């Protein structure tokens, strides 16, 4: 299956993507994770991306689209993938369509995770992520690790993303509404959008998502 996951920051895209990708046996491709990996490795691409990310802005398309396409061309993604955080504007969605058409394949679904805005800010401000694996997500209130600052899953260090500070979160939400939300209309016109509520327990949301995907 070829799936795009959309939703505001804090909707739980990363968490859901990890479970869904495992259930569906397809790779989880997160452009945010790819940027963060480039930043920690000190690459040129990482240097270009960092200032935009820290400001809560989108990294320019000329950097992002090439990086996403390179990843989608890896052998593990030949039969499907779950895109998390890409596309994030209509021109990226159009570039994705062109790339898929060139391979004579199509998206199967666009899963839209809905969550109220005040919930988003609460979720993100308390979010702590494992340095080893960004799918290991904790929360200072809602999902405390057994030992403060340590990942329950792998023992990695938990940290707060630079762009999870409140002011940056508000900017990211504004960017989501103005630039990313229009892709929902773009994909509705193709009959691909399945909207589910992202409220509730992680496994309940995963179950709703699998049902919406017809699995
Ligand atoms: P995420 O981990 O998906 O929340 O992404 C973190 C940050 O990476 C975003 O706020 C953007 O600055 C950048 N980013 C991730 N994906 C994209 C994309 N498709 N287009 C532009 N910027 C992106």
């Amino acid at each position: 299956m070829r799936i795009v996951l959309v939703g505001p920051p804090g909707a739980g895209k990363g968490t859901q993507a990890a479970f869904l990708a495992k259930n569906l046996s397809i790779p989880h491709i997160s452009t945010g994770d790819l940027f963060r990996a480039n930043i920690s490795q000190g690459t040129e691409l990482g240097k270009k991306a960092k200032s935009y990310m820290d400001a809560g802005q989108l990294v320019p398309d000329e950097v992002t689209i090439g990086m996403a396409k390179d990843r989608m061309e890896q052998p593990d993604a030949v039969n499907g993938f779950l895109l998390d955080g890409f596309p994030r504007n209509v021109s990226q969605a159009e570039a994705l369509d062109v790339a898929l058409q060139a391979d004579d394949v199509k998206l199967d679904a666009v899963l839209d995770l809905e969550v109220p805005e005040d919930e988003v800010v609460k979720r993100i401000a308390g979010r702590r992520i494992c340095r080893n694996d960004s799918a290991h997500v904790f929360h200072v209130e809602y999902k405390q690790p057994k030992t403060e600052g340590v990942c329950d899953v792998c023992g990695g260090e938990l940290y707060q993303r630079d762009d999870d500070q409140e002011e940056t979160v508000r900017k990211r939400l504004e960017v989501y509404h103005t630039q990313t939300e229009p892709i929902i209309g773009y994909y509705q016109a193709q009959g691909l959008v399945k909207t589910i509520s992202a409220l509730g327990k992680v496994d309940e949301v995963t179950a709703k998502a699998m049902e919406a995907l017809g699995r």
Side-chain angles (χ1 to χ4, degrees):
M1 282 188 107
R2 293 179 182 80
I3 302 165
V4 168
L5 203 55
V6 248
K13 290 193 298 297
T15 307
Q16 288 305 326
F19 285 112
L20 293 171
K22 194 166 168 237
N23 286 353
L24 299 165
S25 306
I26 49 178
H28 165 203
I29 299 181
S30 155
T31 41
D33 283 353
L34 293 173
F35 284 132
R36 282 184 287 277
N38 274 278
I39 291 172
S40 57
Q41 288 156 18
T43 68
E44 277 310 306
L45 192 149
K47 282 177 202 152
K48 277 189 201 151
K50 188 168 184 347
S51 58
Y52 294 97
M53 292 174 75
D54 286 350
Q57 308 271 10
L58 295 188
V59 179
D61 286 351
E62 52 273 26
V63 179
T64 307
I65 292 171
M67 178 185 76
K69 284 206 305 204
D70 283 350
R71 178 62 188 89
M72 281 184 273
E73 280 163 13
Q74 299 299 309
D76 64 337
V78 170
N79 294 318
F81 46 71
L82 193 156
L83 294 178
D84 159 15
F86 182 87
R88 241 181 172 95
N89 60 28
V90 171
S91 62
Q92 292 180 9
E94 288 167 348
L96 175 61
D97 273 347
V98 170
L100 294 173
Q101 273 157 20
D103 289 341
D104 212 14
V105 295
K106 284 193 169 130
L107 288 177
D108 295 287
V110 173
L111 194 64
D112 168 29
L113 297 183
E114 265 190 344
V115 58
E117 190 134 335
D118 52 349
E119 179 66 20
V120 159
V121 177
K122 268 194 269 171
R123 282 187 182 194
I124 298 194
R127 176 159 79 173
R128 299 292 181 269
I129 290 172
C130 176
R131 288 230 184 257
N132 296 338
D133 187 337
S134 67
H136 303 164
V137 185
F138 296 82
H139 192 281
V140 291
E141 245 177 86
Y142 307 140
K143 195 186 170 199
Q144 295 175 350
K146 290 193 189 88
T147 310
E148 201 189 318
V150 180
C151 175
D152 287 357
V153 184
C154 69
E157 180 201 354
L158 299 180
Y159 76 109
Q160 182 175 37
R161 276 170 47 175
D162 289 345
D163 60 349
D164 277 354
Q165 317 284 341
E166 188 163 337
E167 202 186 319
T168 316
V169 171
R170 293 201 185 281
K171 182 69 203 168
R172 286 163 62 202
L173 274 169
E174 184 194 317
V175 167
Y176 178 75
H177 290 311
T178 55
Q179 302 192 49
T180 306
E181 254 175 4
I183 73 171
I184 296 173
Y186 176 89
Y187 285 128
Q188 263 161 351
Q190 299 183 19
L192 289 172
V193 179
K194 320 262 182 215
T195 301
I196 62 164
S197 164
L199 294 180
K201 294 206 182 100
V202 170
D203 55 348
E204 290 167 1
V205 178
T206 309
K208 272 189 281 184
M210 290 297 285
E211 198 187 325
L213 295 171
R215 295 302 179 110

